[in-house]
Amino acid sequence: MRFLGINAIFHDPAAALVVDGEVVAAAEEERFSRRKHGKRPVPFSAWELPERAAAWCLARAGLRPEDLDAVAYSYDPDLVVSGGPGQDPGWEELRTTYARRAPSFLAGALPGLDPARVRFVPHHIAHAASAGLAAPFTDSAVLVCDGRGEAVSHLAGAYRGGSLEILAAQGLPHSLGLLYESLTTHLGFLHSSDEYKVMALASYGRPRFLPELRALVYPTGDGGFRTEPVDWSAFAKPLRPHREWTGEHADLAASVQARLEEVLVDLARWLHGRTGQRVLTMAGGVALNCVANTRIAEATPFEHVWVQPAAGDAGTALGGALHLAAAAGEPAAPMPGADLGRSWNEAELAAWLRTANVSCERPADLAAAVADELAADRIVAWFQGRSEYGPRALGHRSLLAHPGHAANTERLNDVKGREQFRPIAPMVLADRAGRIFSRGPVPSPYMLFVHDVAPEWRSRIPAVVHVDGTARVQTVEPGNEPLLARLLEEFEARTGLPVLVNTSLNTAGRPMADDPRDALECFGSAPVDVLALGPFLVRRAGVFAA
């Protein structure tokens, strides 16, 4: 059977296709529209659909809209309590109205689709399915935590044999995600977008406001929690966008981050006590907080913690489709990886380069040629295979650099045009990770945990070591990523370092590069030395000769 999943109601609109229980394709609309996060999460935009992502998913499988057995829409308007807490005052009815009309909107966007085939899947059930049904485990406890869905902000439960048992759900207005979003705004960042900047800033501070926050944000002992209103100005003055932060702001970020971790650990421990499961799977925007994920992994009885790489709202498209497949009796196969988006063959890439009138070369050994460039401390834009689903660059749409030069942290942040307190991440051969990184779970193929960097390695790979001595690691297995693994091996042969700097192929405020035009535009607008576009190398010196 063929199920298309759609996320559209808040932000990060996306589409995903599941055929006979297998994940075939998944993509976010921002990669097509080039609008960061696709749209803002306001009621006025709830009608906007991931039309191009959905059309591409169908084309990837050679399907037409009329071939679909059902379409999952990851929001159920019947669960919305009119005038309930945590809603957009005065405008929530507009969002609900748009959601109710989603079947007809989708039929208009995908000609041939019968609107009667659209099914509303509750937001947090779609999140849960994106974790519990996509993970490489038969059964698991599942923890979902985000800003909000229809009427709740959290779900705790367990998957057994493909069926979800819900054990707890936290009603609005209490929300850990909205709490973090509120702080994001107070610190001058864009909410529902820049929460990861708050997590990075927290590493520069001390959690000295933790006692006060414990009185305002606390678990209730029944699998839920409370988030009382917080006057952030009592702790630190609000920041305007792009203004310099102070130690006071860093301390506030550190305090909220610490309290978030404590509450999440309590929720996870409660869930383990109720389920006895060995495995915890996680989704929801809060599950993208890799510092908290590591704390959960080390401070709870779960033996394995698996986080959906598209844990934010984009992942509900995949979860919705998997939920319908499971409900139809089709066992869900684990997702094969995060590389579920678009790709181009060699002939197509060559055509793009001819159209751009860009000179290039095709080395006999791409990995060796790129390793030479990286060993010479050049920045490489790396565009290979299918694009990633979710916010992390995992070696398909990446900027790569030498980790052994501390200046490369500032250099790459300048290339991307972003704040200098932002860390850049390491990718490492999986069989080398254990002697360089500790504390966080290994393997870590999706860059969703932080790890301590061994003291003897901090001076060897300073570019990827954050101010607190940690790094957000991606491990690379040769069997899963043969070209990337060969690149790491070739780089190690030249430098003695089995690690590369990896950050997303984009500049600040822009979505990650997805198609060849995006990669060429980024290469042309930022001081990147080399572009590896499939098997081709484009050198900046050859394109922008003096």
Side-chain angles (χ1 to χ4, degrees), residues 311-331:
D313 276 6
T316 64
L318 175 60
L322 288 171
H323 175 77
L324 292 188
E330 292 191 340

Side-chain angles (χ1 to χ4, degrees), residues 323-479:
H323 175 77
L324 292 188
E330 292 191 340
M335 62 186 292
D339 52 331
L340 299 170
R342 293 187 287 177
S343 65
W344 285 262
N345 62 35
E346 181 175 337
E348 291 168 332
L349 293 173
W352 274 98
L353 291 168
R354 287 195 299 271
T355 299
N357 195 25
V358 171
S359 61
C360 65
E361 60 187 85
R362 191 188 189 286
D365 189 334
L366 179 72
V370 172
D372 284 339
E373 300 295 331
L374 291 165
D377 201 25
R378 297 187 179 98
I379 295 175
V380 175
W382 179 259
F383 183 103
Q384 304 294 330
R386 298 180 69 176
S387 59
E388 299 94 339
Y389 182 47
R392 303 282 193 254
L394 300 170
H396 292 249
R397 303 291 187 271
S398 292
L399 287 170
L400 306 178
H402 196 306
H405 305 298
N408 279 343
T409 305
E410 182 175 347
R411 184 182 174 197
L412 275 168
N413 281 330
D414 284 342
V415 164
K416 291 169 70 73
R418 66 185 198 178
E419 301 90 347
Q420 286 299 338
F421 66 81
R422 302 268 298 279
I424 50 179
M427 62 167 58
V428 60
L429 289 164
D431 64 357
R432 309 287 203 280
R435 61 189 173 94
I436 305 172
F437 305 102
S438 62
R439 180 167 164 251
V442 171
S444 180
Y446 300 131
M447 204 187 288
L448 287 165
F449 299 90
V450 295
H451 299 72
D452 289 336
V453 183
E456 65 272 20
W457 277 89
R458 293 178 187 179
S459 61
R460 298 187 65 187
I461 53 172
V464 296
V465 183
H466 198 28
V467 65
D468 59 358
T470 66
R472 190 181 67 198
V473 175
Q474 176 197 355
T475 58
V476 176
E477 294 276 4

